[in-house]
Amino acid sequence: MNVDKVGRVGGYGYEPKKTPNTSKTENQGPVDTISISDAAKKIASEAKLQSEVKQIAKQIVSAPPEEDRSEKIKAVKERLKNGDYDNLSTEVLDKISDQIVSSFLGQQ
C-alpha cells in the first residue's frame, strides 16, 4: 500500500473569503446628526457648577480651623492702654517694621 499525498478535506487548503472592496465614493445614505437643546446645555452647566461648589465646600470643611486670635487682640489692647508699648527700644521697633514690610510684600 502506498500513500503519496494527503490533502485536506475537499482537496484544497483554507482560503479566507474575499470581501468585495467598497469605494468611499459610493453613496453612504443618510447621515445621522445630533443636536443638544439650550435647556439641556443649561442643566449641564448648572450640574457642573454644583459639583464645583461641592468640591470647594469639601476643601473648606477639611481645612484646619483658623485659630481664635481674639484673646491675643484683647491682651495687646490692654497693654496699649497700660502704656507697655510707649517706650520701645530701636531693636524692637526695627523688628516690628521688618515684619510689617514683609507682610505688605507678601513674604510671610
Side-chain angles (χ1 to χ4, degrees):
M1 179 175 198
N2 203 358
V3 177
D4 288 337
K5 295 181 182 178
V6 177
R8 295 195 174 123
V9 176
Y12 295 102
Y14 173 75
E15 293 181 22
K17 289 184 178 180
K18 295 182 181 179
T19 57
N21 293 336
T22 58
S23 64
K24 295 188 181 203
T25 58
E26 292 181 15
N27 187 4
Q28 294 182 5
V31 177
D32 292 336
T33 60
I34 186 168
S35 63
I36 300 173
S37 68
D38 291 335
K41 289 177 185 177
K42 184 178 179 183
I43 291 171
S45 66
E46 289 174 357
K48 183 178 177 183
L49 286 174
Q50 285 180 350
S51 68
E52 289 175 1
V53 167
K54 286 180 183 179
Q55 182 181 7
I56 291 170
K58 285 180 184 179
Q59 289 176 351
I60 290 172
V61 169
S62 66
E66 294 182 18
E67 60 182 71
D68 186 23
R69 299 180 56 106
S70 61
E71 294 298 322
K72 289 182 180 182
I73 292 172
K74 287 179 186 177
V76 169
K77 285 182 179 181
E78 285 296 319
R79 291 178 79 180
L80 282 170
K81 285 180 186 177
N82 296 336
D84 292 343
Y85 294 121
D86 289 342
N87 297 319
L88 297 175
S89 68
T90 57
E91 296 165 351
V92 173
L93 291 174
D94 286 341
K95 185 175 180 181
I96 292 171
S97 64
D98 288 342
Q99 288 178 350
I100 291 171
V101 168
S102 65
S103 69
F104 279 125
L105 296 176
Q107 296 173 352
Q108 269 186 337

